[in-house]
Structures are given as C-alpha cells and as structure tokens.
C-alpha cells in the first residue's frame, strides 16, 4: 500500500497497482485452486492501523472483528464501493473502493484493509482473515496542496518544498515570472543569485537548500540548445533542457564537459557567458534528433559529421540523459598491417586508392559535394587522413571538416544527411571487408 490515500480517491496499491487477495493452504503455502473455498465470497472491512503488528498472525475471529473500524457517528459509511470480492480459483481482485473520512481521529491515525469470508460461506472451515499494511487517509483538500516527489517540469513552482501555495514566497516568484519548476531551474542555472534575491529574507538559507535540492530531483526533458560561436558552426556550446552546459563543439567535434582540457575550459566559460547574453541566437533541438544517426527530418543545422576523420573514428552526439560518443566505429588499424606486423602491400593501397576515386565519382557523392559547393575536382573535406590510415591517397589539400553551412531549410538537408551517412557506411564496410580479407590471406600464408 502507498503511505497515504485521500478521501474521495480510488483505493489502490502503490503506483496505482490493483490489490489482489489469494487463498493459501496453511500447510503447504500453495494457492487453493479447487474446492468450494476457492470460489468463496469475501467481505472488505477497515481495520485499526496498529492491529496485530506482531509477527504472530494466529489471531481469532473475535479479535479480528474487534479491530474493525466503523464510521464516526453522523458520518457516511467509512468505506464505500464494491465491499465484496469473489474468489476465482482461489484468487480475487478488489474493485472500486473509496474512503469517505480521514484516519486522523483513530488511535493509530492509520487504517488497514481487511478481508474475511462472507457470512454463509465455508461453514465449518477456519479461514484466516487477510490484512494489508497500514496507511494514512487524508482529506481530499490536502491533495490540492501536496508536494510532488519528484516534481515535474510543468508543475507549478509551489509544488517544491518550502514554497506554500499562494504564500509570500509563491507570490514573489510569480511576480518575477517564475511560474513553473522549469522556470525555477532555468533561473537557478543561469543566475542563482537573482533567484535567491527574488525569494529574499523570507526564505532562510536552510529553506533555500531544501527547495533547491528538491527542484534538482526533477526529471529533465529532451530539449537541447546549441549556441554557435561562428557562422561555420565549428565551435559552440551545448545546453540541456534547463540551460545547463553539458558539452562543447570544438573544431567540429563534440567534447563532453568532463573531457575539456584547460584551454577549452577557459574558452567555454566565455562562450557560456556570451550564450546567456545572446540567448535569442541559441538554436533549440530535440535531443532524440541529435542523438540519432539517422533521422527523417533534421533540424535547421545538420549535427552529423563524417565519422572517419581521425584514428578514433567516432563522433559524440548528445543524448537525453548525458553525452557520450555514439557514432559508428569502423575499427581501422592505423598502419594497415596485421598483428604480426605484415604489411598489406602496394596492391592493397592501389585498390584503396582506386575504390576511393570510384566513390568520389558516384552520383551520391557528387550530389553531396555539390551541396557544399564543391565539384568533382574540388577539395575533399579531409575525408582521408594519411597520418591516421598509414597510406597515401592523392586527394589534397586537406581541409578541416565543417558542419553544413548555408543550407536552406527543408528536405534538402535531409538528403544531405542521408548521403553523408551512406558515404560513411559504404566506406567503413569496404575498409573492414578488405582488412578482413587481407588478414585471412596472411594467416593462410603463415
């Protein structure tokens, strides 16, 4: 059972679970699925919360019934609804039940539900009654003011600890346009001193800590925000749903917050300040779009880049709960040799060069290059890094990869995204296949 229920609300288990009752054989502990007892009718009653708190459950019928709680004088029946349960193969499920009164007036200040065999059933057979755990019942009006654990982003801000509904603190927050828990968290991240000043001396430091701690248990949404420092989108900062910094885009690559070096930490501080001062320039994304490698309709800016630029050909893209590299990894050895040090030879290099040229001449690749304003004879965007792969391909100069720029909104960007993925995957599959074939040949020769 949950720790408390409310008058007028449905009686149900924790997190809305149905409440079941099972008839057990006292000797074997197994469910009784046959015989007249397995289809008996049971009556639901209300018990004192402190009934039989001891481990011994061998109570008598009289003792059980002496613990039943009746309605207060002049009040409606304490429990209303489906007060009887019929077992089917020894199992029953409680129907709709509602408390009409709270539990504050009885000795233990809590209730239990109890079940006993209805009059006229299983005569001559002793069937031990059932009871639930104890729980409190509060007046329904208390539910209107209760706090949420955890709070939701769209909850009104008074759902947080230490902020009373329509109280002085609540009114101060509303006046400053802090209406929801989401608003509270966003101001807390961007300007915590301003939020503290809004609440003023009416909130002690201890109350402030409790409220902030409660707010931070909120489950965040999937929105992400990117502030680009340049038009090429080579550098930028990524923020989560409540405007909290989560990573940096540096030279076109995503760097998680915990992986920033000293210089990056200095630059990101300035970048975050600029982002907060120019929040109207921040671009909002859906986290699922950024975290997916394939997507039907990308946002205004394509965040997917060629995943085979460096010896560790992965690119990190943000996810809803954190940031980690999720790009494809082609597992390409740096020197194109097998573990025993055998070189793959000139024939393999020639084949790779030939295949590279063929790939660049395909319609898909030419469409991709034209989308960046580059034709068949133009630069190759640094697709092939000689230092990374240990062989030479005469496609130069090397140009650092950049995010898509100058694109118009619409389906054209979706095509570009698909073409980039197709090119990346096609190349990776080809490299893996050739590497595997070469290893197999070397093993056979050995």
């Amino acid at each position: 059972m949950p720790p408390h229920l409310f008058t007028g609300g449905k009686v149900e288990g924790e997190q809305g679970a149905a409440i079941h009752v099972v008839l057990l054989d006292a000797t074997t502990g197994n469910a009784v699925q046959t015989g007249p007892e397995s289809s008996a009718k049971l009556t639901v009653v209300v018990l004192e919360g402190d009934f039989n708190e001891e481990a011994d459950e061998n109570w008598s019928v009289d003792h059980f019934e002496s613990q039943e709680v009746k309605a207060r004088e002049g009040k409606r029946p304490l429990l209303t609804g489906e007060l009887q349960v019929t077992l089917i193969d020894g199992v029953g499920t409680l129907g709709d039940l509602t408390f009409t009164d709270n539990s504050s007036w009885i000795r233990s200040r809590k209730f239990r539900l109890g079940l006993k065999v209805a009059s006229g059933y299983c005569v001559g057979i002793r069937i031990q009654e059932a009871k639930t755990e104890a729980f409190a019942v509060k007046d329904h009006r208390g539910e209107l003011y209760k706090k949420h654990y955890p709070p939701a982003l769209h909850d009104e801000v008074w759902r947080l600890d230490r902020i009373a509904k329509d109280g002085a603190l609540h009114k101060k927050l509303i006046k400053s346009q802090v209406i929801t828990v989401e608003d509270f968290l966003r101001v807390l991240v961007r300007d915590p001193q301003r939020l503290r000043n809004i609440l003023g001396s009416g909130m002690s430091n201890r109350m402030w800590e409790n409220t902030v701690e409660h707010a931070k248990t909120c489950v965040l949404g999937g929105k992400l925000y990117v502030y680009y420092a340049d038009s090429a989108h080579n550098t930028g900062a990524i923020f989560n749903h409540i405007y909290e910094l989560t990573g940096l885009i540096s030279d076109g690559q995503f760097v998680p917050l915990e992986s920033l070096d000293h210089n990056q930490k200095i630059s990101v501080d300035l970048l975050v300040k600029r982002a907060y001062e120019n929040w109207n320039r921040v671009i909002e994304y859906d986290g699922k779009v950024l975290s997916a490698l394939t997507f039907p309709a990308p946002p205004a800016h394509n965040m997917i880049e060629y995943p085979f630029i460096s010896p560790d050909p992965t690119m990190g893209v943000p996810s809803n709960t954190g940031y980690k590299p999720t790009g494809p990894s082609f597992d390409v050895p740096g020197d194109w040799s097998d573990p025993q040090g055998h070189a793959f030879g000139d024939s393999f290099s020639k084949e790779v060069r030939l295949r590279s040229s063929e790939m660049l001449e395909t319609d898909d690749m030419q469409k991709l290059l034209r989308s960046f304003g580059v034709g068949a004879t133009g630069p190759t965007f640094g697709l092939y890094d000689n230092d990374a792969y240990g062989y030479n391909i005469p496609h130069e100069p090397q140009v650092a990869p950049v995010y898509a720029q100058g694109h118009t909104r619409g389906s054209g960007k979706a095509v570009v995204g698909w073409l980039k993925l197709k090119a990346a995957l096609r190349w990776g599959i080809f490299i893996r296949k050739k590497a595997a074939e070469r290893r197999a040949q070397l093993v056979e020769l050995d």
Side-chain angles (χ1 to χ4, degrees):
M1 299 298 294
H4 56 255
L5 298 171
F6 289 93
T7 57
K10 184 179 179 181
V11 175
E12 54 193 6
E14 201 151 35
Q15 298 183 356
I19 302 172
H20 304 288
V21 55
V22 182
L23 180 63
L24 301 178
D25 186 306
T27 304
T28 65
N30 296 328
V32 179
Q33 297 178 298
T34 59
E37 303 88 356
S38 66
S39 56
K41 186 171 288 187
L42 311 179
T43 299
V44 184
V45 298
V46 180
L47 301 172
E48 281 275 4
D50 59 1
F51 165 62
N52 199 61
E53 293 181 327
E54 304 82 19
D56 180 21
E57 296 192 353
N58 191 26
W59 58 77
S60 66
V61 176
D62 291 341
H63 181 52
F64 180 86
E65 292 183 344
S66 70
Q67 298 295 306
E68 293 181 17
V69 181
K70 306 300 181 184
R72 286 192 275 184
E73 187 176 350
K75 295 275 190 176
R76 297 166 53 198
L78 182 57
L79 189 66
T80 62
E82 300 174 37
L83 299 178
Q84 290 198 316
V85 180
T86 301
L87 297 179
I88 299 176
D89 297 330
V91 179
T93 302
L94 275 64
D96 289 340
L97 295 168
T98 302
F99 280 97
T100 63
D101 199 359
N102 63 62
S103 59
S104 63
W105 54 276
I106 64 171
R107 180 179 64 248
S108 65
R109 306 180 71 83
K110 290 185 177 182
F111 292 143
R112 294 178 188 260
L113 289 181
L115 290 110
K116 62 182 181 180
V117 176
S119 178
Y121 286 83
C122 304
V123 178
I125 301 174
R126 169 66 176 133
I127 296 181
Q128 184 84 18
E129 298 79 13
K131 62 179 175 64
T132 68
E133 295 174 339
F135 53 88
V137 176
K138 299 181 179 181
D139 285 323
H140 177 68
R141 63 177 177 269
E143 186 173 23
L144 301 176
Y145 295 89
K146 75 173 183 177
K147 307 301 182 181
H148 288 170
Y149 300 95
L153 285 169
H154 63 267
D155 278 346
E156 292 184 72
V157 72
W158 60 261
R159 295 285 187 183
L160 296 176
D161 283 342
R162 305 293 188 161
I163 300 175
K165 183 179 181 182
D166 299 326
L169 296 177
H170 185 205
K171 290 176 180 177
K172 288 181 179 179
L173 290 168
I174 290 177
K175 187 177 180 180
S176 299
Q177 298 300 307
V178 182
I179 312 298
T180 65
V181 173
E182 179 183 67
D183 298 333
F184 184 94
L185 286 167
R186 285 177 170 177
V187 179
L188 178 66
V189 168
R190 291 181 59 176
D191 194 348
Q193 189 56 52
R194 174 174 171 256
L195 183 60
R196 188 69 183 91
N197 292 341
I198 290 171
L199 294 166
S201 59
M203 172 174 272
S204 68
N205 289 337
R206 181 63 181 272
M207 291 170 64
W208 163 259
E209 291 170 3
N210 290 345
T211 304
V212 169
E213 185 178 349
H214 185 205
K216 287 182 177 179
T217 64
C218 181
V219 178
L220 302 184
K223 289 181 182 177
L224 294 169
Y225 301 87
V226 181
Y227 175 80
Y228 293 107
D230 52 28
S231 59
H233 295 174
N234 282 326
T235 304
I238 298 180
F239 303 85
N240 66 10
H241 195 113
I242 58 172
Y243 306 160
E244 193 172 30
L245 179 71
T246 53
L248 177 71
I249 297 172
S250 178
D251 295 327
Q253 298 293 315
F254 175 76
V255 184
L257 194 58
E258 63 272 13
S259 301
L260 299 179
D261 60 31
H262 178 69
N263 292 333
Q264 288 172 327
K265 287 178 181 177
I266 294 174
S267 63
V268 81
D269 286 342
L270 298 173
L271 192 58
V272 168
K273 184 179 179 182
R274 285 169 54 190
Y276 287 162
E277 291 172 350
N278 301 276
W279 198 256
N280 60 317
R281 292 178 54 196
V282 168
I283 300 170
E284 178 183 317
Y285 294 92
D286 185 300
K288 292 181 180 178
V289 172
L290 283 179
S291 63
L293 277 175
T294 58
F295 45 90
H301 299 272
N302 196 332
M303 290 289 290
I304 297 179
E305 193 49 68
Y306 291 102
F308 42 82
I309 302 301
S310 66
D312 180 15
T314 60
M315 173 188 152
V317 289
S319 67
N320 290 354
T321 57
Y323 297 85
K324 57 181 182 293
T326 56
S329 174
F330 299 137
D331 193 26
V332 184
D335 61 356
W336 291 102
S337 62
D338 72 338
Q340 284 73 39
H342 300 285
F344 282 179
D346 293 338
S347 61
F348 182 59
S349 297
K350 290 177 182 177
E351 187 173 4
V352 169
R353 285 197 292 272
L354 178 63
R355 179 59 175 158
S356 300
S357 299
E358 290 174 355
M359 283 183 63
L360 286 171
E361 291 168 4
T362 62
D363 290 340
D364 282 352
M365 202 56 145
Q366 286 303 307
K367 288 177 183 177
L368 172 61
L369 296 177
R370 281 196 296 273
S371 73
F372 286 100
V374 182
T377 59
T380 63
F381 295 92
L383 298 186
Y384 315 112
D385 188 332
N386 295 347
D387 292 335
Y389 293 101
Y391 63 95
N392 296 317
I393 299 177
H395 295 291
E396 292 186 0
Q398 299 292 326
V399 182
V402 296
Y403 287 123
Q405 49 185 303
H407 291 190
T408 58
R409 297 176 181 270
S411 60
K413 295 185 301 301
V415 173
V416 173
W418 278 107
L419 291 174
K420 293 169 78 175
L421 289 168
K422 286 170 68 175
L425 294 172
R426 198 179 283 173
W427 178 254
I429 292 169
F430 165 71
I431 293 299
R432 271 189 171 173
K433 179 180 177 183
K434 289 302 175 184
E437 289 175 358
R438 176 59 59 182
R439 288 195 186 97
Q441 292 173 8
L442 291 170
V443 170
E444 187 174 349
L445 288 172
D446 287 345

